[in-house]
Amino acid sequence: MNRETQADYQHRSPMQSGRVSSRLPGFYELPIGQRREIIAGLSHMNAKEAECFGDFQTLSAEKVDVFIENGVGTFAMPLGVATNFTINGQDILVPMAVEETSVLAAASHGAKLARAGGGFQTTSTSPIGTGQIQLFPEAGFDFESVLQAERENLLAYANEGQHRLLSRGGGALNLTWRFIEAIRSLVLYIDVDTRDAMGANLINTICEKLSKRIQELIPCEMGLRILTNLCDKRLARAHCKVPKASLSNREFSGEEVVDRIEKAYLFAAHDVYRATTHNKGVMNGIDPVVIATGNDWRAVEAGAHAYCCRTGVYQPMTRWWKNAEGDLEGEIELPIAVGTVGGVTKLHPTAQAALQLMGNPTAQGLAEIIVAVGLAQNLSALRALASEGIQRGHMSLHQGNIALAQRQGAHTS
Ligand code: MEV
């Protein structure tokens, strides 16, 4: 191990070399305070500027060091509360961590429109994630017969040692497979009910364990063993109805807005460029709740977008239509892999507070809240886009950012 001292790092400062080197061997072994001093020195920051790497008041240096490697600070993000949500007849305050102006206002507005029609109705499937085990069987080997005969044994083996998960009603449930001729590869799919955990570690552990047993049964070269983020057995759904009367505004009658929102949805359903932006708006609602609860928003993003391609054509995440009474109805269905126990969710004090604010939902309950927020966010965006346009409301809210930037510019120039 090449142990360089802080002085060694600073010796290689941009002043001397002309540019910063990203080679920092042993950096990860230093205490956080020292890491911070080093990067501050390398980038010529004074002590005040280095304070912008964040404080450790909510998230201690100890936790940062456990959560990630090479940690030097924390990144503060605005945390807000979306109002007006009623989900399955119960009012709920929704925590959202996001940097974008107007997201909280839009979510709360969408929830208010839905509230006029009774709020959101949500459902979800069991929290089932899927792991993939890829292998390259010896040519001519009858893996089909072996897997058929051993399926139940393999499932039992996967569940060995998982007493707590099994006692809570979870565990490995099903094993399927397919042979991909083009790459001469057999892929096994193991479905696991992860209960209130997001389950990535659990599924990956099961995949790796199971692969060893499979290698004893099937002569093969082992490939990848990892969960899929396309968790299409772990779906959350929300539905809402908005009375046309709630949608009227200065420019358009309620009936006209319903028609225009339906057309806006159809635009997204027939144009992938629009579908992408439509879905970005949905994720404006989803990601902030996923982040506020300490969950993996990259996993949710990957799964949600892949799910939109399940027909082979990228589709909008929501659907809107005019019902027989002329009111607006909308729905959403997405795979949402989130947990309420384990990992960062359990250790991050703000994530714990966020869950508490929502009444400590189960993982399924949280997934349902998340899709309801996505639907509300989309409703609010489409309502504005389909009538006065998005900029009027957005710019009036954005004024604060502009004024702040001007004040900061005045202070620093
Ligand atoms: C902006 O962050 C999100 C929107 O572009 C979404 C949409 O166009 O539907 C307003």
Side-chain angles (χ1 to χ4, degrees):
M1 166 80 242
N2 180 1
R3 279 181 186 278
E4 292 186 55
T5 63
Q6 190 182 334
D8 291 331
Y9 286 127
Q10 271 160 356
H11 184 65
R12 294 190 274 116
S13 77
M15 286 272 266
Q16 283 147 351
S17 63
R19 47 197 290 257
V20 179
S21 169
S22 61
R23 284 280 305 134
L24 300 177
F27 186 69
Y28 72 100
E29 290 184 324
L30 299 172
I32 280 197
Q34 227 171 308
R35 285 185 210 144
R36 214 189 245 227
E37 281 172 26
I38 287 163
I39 57 165
L42 286 173
S43 49
H44 299 302
M45 286 181 180
N46 60 34
K48 184 131 195 71
E49 286 165 336
E51 277 173 21
C52 295
F53 286 121
D55 58 48
F56 294 112
Q57 275 165 17
T58 305
L59 204 53
S60 64
E62 190 197 354
K63 280 191 178 137
V64 169
D65 229 7
V66 170
F67 286 179
I68 62 164
E69 310 72 41
N70 292 356
V72 295
T74 58
F75 186 95
M77 180 123 94
L79 177 73
V81 172
T83 56
N84 301 323
F85 276 87
T86 177
I87 299 178
N88 299 331
Q90 280 200 326
D91 273 24
I92 182 161
L93 290 170
V94 184
M96 299 176 80
V98 68
E99 88 299 343
E100 188 177 334
T101 307
S102 80
V103 165
L104 265 290
S108 304
H109 180 63
K112 192 171 172 193
L113 292 173
R115 194 180 182 87
F120 297 92
Q121 285 72 48
T122 63
T123 56
S124 54
T125 60
S126 294
I128 297 171
T130 304
Q132 294 186 292
I133 302 171
Q134 182 200 27
L135 45 114
F136 300 89
E138 226 172 56
F141 185 81
D142 182 10
F143 58 79
E144 190 67 42
S145 307
V146 173
L147 288 172
Q148 290 288 1
E150 291 292 328
R151 187 198 306 253
E152 292 310 315
N153 290 337
L154 287 168
L155 283 171
Y157 181 66
N159 281 326
E160 261 175 33
Q162 300 289 355
H163 309 294
R164 282 187 50 210
L165 180 65
L166 294 169
S167 71
R168 284 185 279 124
L173 298 172
N174 197 16
L175 183 69
T176 56
W177 54 89
R178 74 178 180 121
F179 190 74
I180 307 176
E181 199 61 61
I183 53 171
R184 311 277 319 141
S185 178
L186 176 63
V187 183
L188 277 68
Y189 301 80
I190 175 121
D191 295 332
V192 183
D193 185 325
T194 63
R195 292 289 90 197
D196 286 326
M198 185 273 193
N201 280 331
L202 170 67
I203 295 171
N204 292 341
T205 303
I206 288 180
C207 284
E208 291 191 4
K209 173 177 148 175
L210 210 52
S211 69
K212 296 202 178 81
R213 177 59 59 89
I214 288 163
Q215 234 170 348
E216 291 165 10
L217 299 170
I218 301 175
C220 67
E221 186 195 320
M222 193 47 69
L224 309 187
R225 297 146 308 158
I226 188 79
L227 90 166
T228 170
N229 289 119
L230 178 52
C231 43
D232 55 5
K233 297 194 172 85
R234 189 173 191 164
L235 298 173
R237 308 179 184 101
H239 170 271
C240 70
K241 187 157 72 176
V242 187
K244 52 182 176 294
S246 330
L247 289 165
S248 64
N249 57 36
R250 266 181 282 165
E251 279 99 339
F252 299 102
S253 69
E255 284 88 348
E256 283 169 324
V257 177
V258 172
D259 283 335
R260 292 174 68 84
I261 290 178
E262 190 180 52
K263 283 188 184 133
Y265 154 69
L266 289 170
F267 180 14
H270 288 87
D271 180 277
V272 72
Y273 290 91
R274 176 58 208 152
T276 305
T277 321
H278 180 106
N279 290 347
K280 190 275 181 183
V282 175
M283 298 313 287
N284 271 351
I286 288 181
D287 284 339
V289 190
V290 177
I291 293 170
T293 55
N295 275 291
D296 182 345
W297 72 95
R298 287 87 56 213
V300 172
E301 282 273 353
H305 291 288
Y307 192 64
C308 293
C309 283
R310 62 195 182 282
T311 61
V313 179
Y314 187 73
Q315 283 290 297
M317 292 171 175
T318 60
R319 189 167 79 84
W320 295 97
W321 67 98
K322 178 160 81 170
N323 70 13
E325 291 77 46
D327 296 323
L328 182 71
E329 283 193 52
E331 65 182 12
I332 185 169
E333 179 186 82
L334 285 176
I336 302 285
V338 289
T340 55
V341 299
V344 172
T345 299
K346 198 79 202 159
L347 294 171
H348 198 303
T350 314
Q352 279 297 298
L355 288 169
Q356 200 177 338
L357 181 70
M358 292 185 286
N360 290 317
T362 60
Q364 263 183 264
L366 177 59
E368 293 180 24
I369 293 168
I370 287 170
V371 288
V373 179
L375 190 61
Q377 198 78 44
N378 180 234
L379 168 61
S380 191
L382 293 190
R383 195 216 56 78
L385 287 166
S387 35
E388 76 274 6
I390 207 83
Q391 285 306 83
R392 188 199 290 168
H394 182 76
M395 289 317 286
S396 69
L397 292 170
H398 193 58
Q399 282 310 320
N401 283 0
I402 296 168
L404 185 61
Q406 278 165 354
R407 281 204 300 281
Q408 283 197 348
H411 286 309
T412 51
S413 60

